Amino acid sequence: MTQDAHPDTGATSSETPSATRRRFMGQAAAAGAALAGTGWMGGAFAQGQDDLAPYRSAKINWRQAEGEQISVAVIPASYFENLLTLLPQFEALTGVKVRAEKVPPGQIRQKAMLDLSSKTATYGTHAADPMYYPLYVANKWVEPLDKYLNDATLTDPAWFKYEDIIKAWREADSVDGKPYGIPYDGEVTVQVYRKDLYDAKGLKPAETYEQLLSNAKAVHDPANRTYGLALRGFAGAGQNMYIYPSILGGFGGDWFQNKQLVVNSPAHVKALEWYVNALTQYAPPAVRNWNWPDIADAFSQGTVATYIDAHSSAAVITNPEKSKVVGKVAYARWPAGPSGQRVTSIWNWGFPINAALSDKAKRATWLFISWAASPETQARTSWKFDGPAKRSGLNRMALWKSPEFAAAMKNAGDNFIPAALASLEQDTSVEWRPRVPQWPAIGETMATAIQSALVGQKKPKEALDEAQARITAIMKS
């Protein structure tokens, strides 16, 4: 869905430090004058006032790390692209120069781990996978952020409003109750369905797993290229292991028994059997190798009637230039499993601070993080953004409940914000996947086992028994 890019907005290698500083200060002064005088007109944001005033109202010294340069790694996605267009504002505000590098999701984890583990301090911060924090913290690669949040010289609590950031995402970026990352953008999984097909059959969105399959059966018409249901099947820690844990939660399954990681309990087997049967009966044959963009594209072309995935896929399925189902889309919460539980997948890209940085670079990085995660920047990258991509993954409850956000999302489909909000507030569990330092190996082991069952290579119990043996060895190593 996104393209690899590596723009370098920092100093050239041939410049001396003094030349770099003179060039930078000249740029910052010019940018500051433009911002204060007429409003920044970079094609992304414009308003006829001092654009930095909302930030200057914070009772901190934004220029305390002036002259510092930091590098930030993000993925090439629209929600980060929106942020990067605003970097001139941050640089004018703080006097900190930011070099932004865009790295595809499949590579950013590896690049970040290499930088953190080698202590090269290449990146001040990066878009971090929340499942990696236990590994980062166990190795002391990232800073605990409570000391930054509680430092009055760095954070104005009344301005930053940390507690307004979505609780599930804050918890996902914390270890043992201590924050190590600040969420910037995130998602929650919701049920997406064709309301026209449902209305024609007199159906309601599913409240239970049983009803989900019943609805899928009612609208399943492969002869006319309409399939009843789709779920991610592609193997990956963030693909089928993004969906399976929620199904498992609906069956009342846990990841730990007597402090041991268990993946082949009766609940695990039942959950995987349900997953296999649902896709076998009602999904397009290729779905076992589909990621979320494939599902969203199929739904937008009218070949899938129902799916469960990230709320952010609304941007794809309601794109009037490509979608055939605009005006026919509605949303609901994850259905409840046999245990009565609804367990939605949760995700966010958050920003940690690299522990190998100098003290001044750490302060500069915190200023960047608090700027990016602030209510004002969140709004400027969403409904205030002068471009087609209005972010839907805002990090704050107050913004989710604002009339401005509702207006920006008005074309997403029926019940979009209420379904996502109810899921975020009621259906999330930070323990929906096993949060352990060994996650990278465990996630891939489980993803391989799940796909082997989905494609019919192995029975669910056999696949999970083999995964258990591997994971037991991983946990002991």
Side-chain angles (χ1 to χ4, degrees), residues 20 47 126 287 292-293 309 342 349 370 451 476:
T20 297
Q47 64 185 46
H126 67 281
V287 79
W292 76 263
D309 215 294
R342 302 175 191 259
W349 288 111
S370 57
Q451 196 188 45
K476 288 180 179 178

Side-chain angles (χ1 to χ4, degrees), residues 259-330:
K259 298 183 179 181
Q260 300 297 312
L261 183 55
V262 175
V263 302
N264 63 344
S265 73
H268 285 81
V269 175
K270 288 179 181 177
L272 187 51
E273 287 174 344
W274 187 92
Y275 195 2
V276 170
N277 291 338
L279 296 191
T280 300
Q281 291 178 330
Y282 304 118
V287 79
R288 294 161 184 81
N289 290 304
W290 279 7
N291 192 352
W292 76 263
D294 304 302
I295 293 175
D297 286 341
F299 184 90
S300 74
Q301 297 307 301
T303 58
V304 169
T306 313
Y307 71 95
I308 300 178
D309 215 294
H311 84 282
S312 52
S313 62
V316 175
I317 63 177
T318 59
N319 181 345
E321 295 179 359
K322 298 179 180 180
S323 176
K324 298 179 181 178
V325 297
V326 175
K328 303 175 182 179
V329 182

Side-chain angles (χ1 to χ4, degrees), residues 229-258:
L229 177 67
L231 299 167
R232 299 187 197 190
F234 186 71
Q239 305 307 329
N240 54 21
M241 258 302 275
Y242 176 91
I243 294 297
Y244 170 76
S246 293
I247 300 171
L248 172 66
F251 277 91
D254 293 316
W255 291 106
F256 292 92
Q257 296 178 11
N258 299 320

Side-chain angles (χ1 to χ4, degrees), residues 25-197:
M25 292 305 293
Q27 290 173 342
L35 283 163
T38 61
W40 185 64
M41 301 293 289
F45 178 85
Q47 64 185 46
Q49 60 180 19
D50 178 358
D51 288 337
L52 301 183
Y55 301 100
R56 289 180 174 139
S57 68
K59 295 180 174 61
I60 63 168
N61 175 15
W62 282 102
R63 302 193 76 84
Q64 61 187 278
E66 186 170 356
E68 190 65 43
Q69 299 187 46
I70 60 172
S71 292
V72 175
V74 298
I75 67 166
S78 63
Y79 39 83
F80 282 123
E81 299 283 0
N82 292 12
L83 181 69
L84 298 186
T85 65
L86 303 183
L87 281 179
Q89 295 184 24
F90 173 76
E91 294 176 344
L93 175 69
T94 63
V96 174
K97 187 68 177 175
V98 179
R99 173 186 176 273
E101 182 177 342
K102 290 183 278 190
V103 185
Q107 299 172 24
I108 198 167
R109 296 165 180 83
Q110 286 67 38
K111 292 194 75 168
M113 282 180 59
L114 180 62
D115 180 41
L116 293 171
S117 62
S118 63
K119 300 187 182 342
T120 50
T122 299
Y123 302 118
T125 188
H126 67 281
D129 182 331
M131 293 300 296
Y132 278 59
Y133 285 110
L135 174 64
Y136 292 174
V137 173
N139 289 285
K140 298 182 179 179
W141 290 341
V142 296
E143 290 274 289
L145 300 183
D146 51 337
K147 66 180 182 181
Y148 296 85
L149 287 163
N150 296 329
D151 185 339
T153 69
L154 286 167
T155 304
D156 177 354
W159 181 85
F160 187 62
K161 298 183 175 71
Y162 175 67
E163 297 297 324
D164 184 47
I165 294 176
I166 292 168
K167 183 173 182 287
W169 298 350
R170 280 188 282 122
E171 291 179 344
D173 292 0
S174 300
V175 176
D176 296 329
K178 185 172 290 191
Y180 287 89
I182 302 295
Y184 167 74
D185 189 277
E187 63 193 33
V188 63
T189 40
V190 291
Q191 188 180 164
V192 189
Y193 64 97
R194 285 278 300 281
K195 63 179 182 178
D196 58 327
L197 298 182

